Each structure stands twice: as structure tokens, then as C-alpha cells.
Amino acid sequence: MSTPRGIRNNNPGNIDRTAEKWQGMAADQSSDSRFVVFSAPVWGLRALAKVLLSYQRKHGLRTPAAIIGRWAPPVENDTGAYARQVAKALGVGVGDQIDLQQPETLQRILPAIVQHENGQQPYPTALVAE
């Protein structure tokens, strides 16, 4: 079984490459034409957390359904199933308000997204917390 793309790229959220220069981006981005390649998993997890936090701070998205609806739009995802999986991992409903500025909530949503994006979640809790 091959390693999922997001894990290979140290980008477990599969963040698309844009003009954004992320902290921890690998100097060589040539191995993937679509997604950012990070130098270590901690940087990909950090970028994922920063994107999710911006969804709340800048866009006012406060429910699993709204957050995942933006993160994984239905044009290429089963957004409803994705949101249900994330909500279940958080112990809330898809329409329930969550606060990602609470470290515990952020540390629980990251592994749920990693699992959905990659079919596995290989990172220890301490790395996610970092």
C-alpha cells in the first residue's frame, strides 16, 4: 500500500499551492504540481490549523458543516459525509457551534481532517499539539 499524497508531502490537509509562502515549505516544490510540500509534518499541521483559524476569524465559520463546506467544497468531495465525520470526532452535531480558538477543539479537528484526507492519521497527539 502506498503512502497517501498528503502524508508524503508532509501536508496532511492537502493544502493547495497558491502564491502563499507558508512557514516550513520545502525549498523544492517540484514533486507535486497541485499541493504544497512541507519540510516536516509539523509545518503541514500548522498550516492546516492556521487555515481553519482564519475560517473562524475572517469568515465567521463556526460549525463543522460551514468549516468543511469551505475546506472541501462539494465540487470534488462528499462534503456532507466529511462534515459528519468531523462532527462525530468532535462529539457535536454538524450544525453545532464550535470554537477553534480553544486548543482542545483545534487539536481534535486536525486529526479528523487528516484521517478523512488521507485514509489514515499517523501523527501522535504530541505532534498535533505542537
Side-chain angles (χ1 to χ4, degrees):
M1 186 161 131
S2 68
T3 303
R5 186 180 197 179
I7 305 302
R8 282 193 318 269
N9 289 341
N10 293 317
N11 180 359
N14 287 319
I15 296 171
D16 284 320
R17 189 168 337 146
T18 63
E20 181 84 27
K21 298 298 178 201
W22 289 100
Q23 188 172 352
M25 274 179 78
D28 181 4
Q29 294 291 309
S30 65
S31 64
D32 195 304
S33 62
R34 178 175 175 192
F35 296 112
V36 177
V37 178
F38 289 96
S39 59
V42 68
W43 299 114
L45 290 165
R46 177 188 177 276
L48 172 57
K50 302 240 343 141
V51 170
L52 295 175
L53 286 167
S54 79
Y55 286 0
Q56 282 206 332
R57 293 174 182 156
K58 293 181 182 177
H59 305 287
L61 306 179
R62 305 212 178 281
T63 67
I67 292 163
I68 298 304
R70 182 173 177 106
W71 179 259
V75 295
E76 58 182 49
N77 299 278
D78 182 345
T79 304
Y82 198 156
R84 286 189 297 278
Q85 177 191 347
V86 167
K88 183 177 179 182
L90 293 170
V92 300
V94 293
D96 290 348
Q97 297 269 323
I98 60 172
D99 183 0
L100 295 178
Q101 295 187 90
Q102 296 297 315
E104 315 80 51
T105 305
L106 190 57
Q107 289 174 27
R108 287 182 31 225
I109 199 171
L110 292 179
I113 289 173
V114 170
Q115 175 68 44
H116 195 89
E117 291 287 331
N118 299 283
Q120 61 179 268
Q121 197 303 96
Y123 305 113
T125 303
L127 182 63
V128 174
E130 190 179 329

